[in-house]
DNA sequence: CGCAACCGCAATCTTTATGGTTACGAATAG
DNA sequence: CTATTCGTAACCATAAAGATTGCGGTTGCG
């Protein structure tokens, strides 16, 4: 889990926030979202797929098509977004230790437990915030809350 | 943060646990650690560098050389290990949004705050465990605690 | 002293994941 | 029919991660 190069969560949060800002006005094209996020429109669509599948977003093709929120911004926690994009992938990178080494086997089991615990901790933290909070600039550090 | 391919934390935990298991007997060569972890010995040394710099480990070259714990296993929390290896790298992958887009700027600020909060949450979770816990097989999931 | 065992470190190589690009079909107005 | 939009697959370019190579320095032992 060192330096993450995967920007999908950040892009998703960005897009959801953008859509929350225009909520109800009009669908927003992936081209427009691309301009805001600086991410390729095809990639935007790729990232948003799972969120649509989960019912957070709606998309329609054609003229006047685009994306819009399918639920209120205040009902979308960042934890949910994160879980949808993270899926079952491990959070901690796991190595493949020598199976014939007893220490390694025990460590691998412990790491699997830790991975789940860490994923839950991340989700718990993110569950404190919604897309509406982001839009309203309410995501501030705890020490200042 | 999706699928982490960085195995450094896992390798470090593995090695620390292994060394805790032979504590005081003898220094352990990176070749032996390589055999257990299935990770190249040069890479093992590379991973362990920061831990040695922080005083958790000692290494010596030459005949009968190798690595050993510099502090008791029960005094090494996994949070400390994680922090040492993670450094200041972001946990959440951040994209580079269009600077002239107001939404993007706000989101970027929020994501920076979230990144710190998530890193703290991870560290908090990992601070519940020490290398000794891993060795003793005491890392179990919470729901079973 | 020579040799083997070890670490420290840099440079290079190989593999893999990520996001960009291209292409094209399907769906939607005007 | 044309233009606009999404959905999706395949391919491309790049960066990150770990492996490999090379070599110097340090440490016992015969």
């Amino acid at each position: 889990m060192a330096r993450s190069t995967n920007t999908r969560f950040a892009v998703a949060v960005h897009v959801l926030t953008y859509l929350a800002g225009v909520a109800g006005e009009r669908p927003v094209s992936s081209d427009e979202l691309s301009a805001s996020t600086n991410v390729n429109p095809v990639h935007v669509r790729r990232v948003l797929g799972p969120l649509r599948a989960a019912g957070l977003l709606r998309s329609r093709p054609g003229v006047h098509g685009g994306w819009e929120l399918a639920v209120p911004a205040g009902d979308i926690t960042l934890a949910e977004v994160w879980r949808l994009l993270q899926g079952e992938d491990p959070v901690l990178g796991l190595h493949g230790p020598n199976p014939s080494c007893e220490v390694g086997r025990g460590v691998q089991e412990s790491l699997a437990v830790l991975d789940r615990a860490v994923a839950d901790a991340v989700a718990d933290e993110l569950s404190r915030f919604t897309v509406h909070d982001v839009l309203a600039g309410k995501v501030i550090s705890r020490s200042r809350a």
Side-chain angles (χ1 to χ4, degrees), chain A:
Chain A
M1 188 201 288
R3 168 117 143 260
S4 181
T5 60
N6 182 332
T7 62
R8 272 170 277 182
F9 175 69
V11 170
V13 171
H14 188 137
V15 169
L16 289 164
T17 307
Y18 191 98
L19 295 177
V22 302
E25 285 177 29
R26 51 182 179 96
V28 182
S29 72
S30 28
D31 275 357
E32 186 174 335
L33 295 172
S34 168
S36 176
T37 59
N38 249 332
V39 169
N40 190 275
V42 171
H43 190 58
V44 167
R45 296 200 285 272
R46 204 185 260 156
V47 169
L48 301 188
L51 306 188
R52 184 189 54 236
L56 301 189
L57 297 175
R58 270 192 306 259
S59 67
R60 32 175 285 152
V63 175
H64 305 310
W67 297 80
E68 56 197 353
L69 291 189
V71 299
D75 292 348
I76 306 175
T77 68
L78 299 189
E80 190 176 4
V81 177
W82 186 75
R83 285 281 197 197
L84 285 169
L85 298 176
Q86 180 75 19
E88 296 304 308
D89 285 342
V91 173
L92 303 172
L94 304 179
H95 63 307
N98 184 349
S100 61
C101 171
E102 212 173 291
V103 174
R105 280 206 304 278
V107 172
Q108 200 69 346
E109 286 167 15
S110 297
L111 282 169
V113 171
L114 284 171
D115 195 84
R116 284 190 294 273
V118 164
D120 288 345
V122 171
D124 283 351
E125 186 62 28
L126 293 176
S127 68
R128 296 173 50 231
F129 306 103
T130 67
V131 168
H132 181 262
D133 293 336
V134 180
L135 180 65
K138 284 191 180 154
V139 177
I140 53 181
S141 63
R142 248 202 204 135
S143 60
R144 238 193 285 175

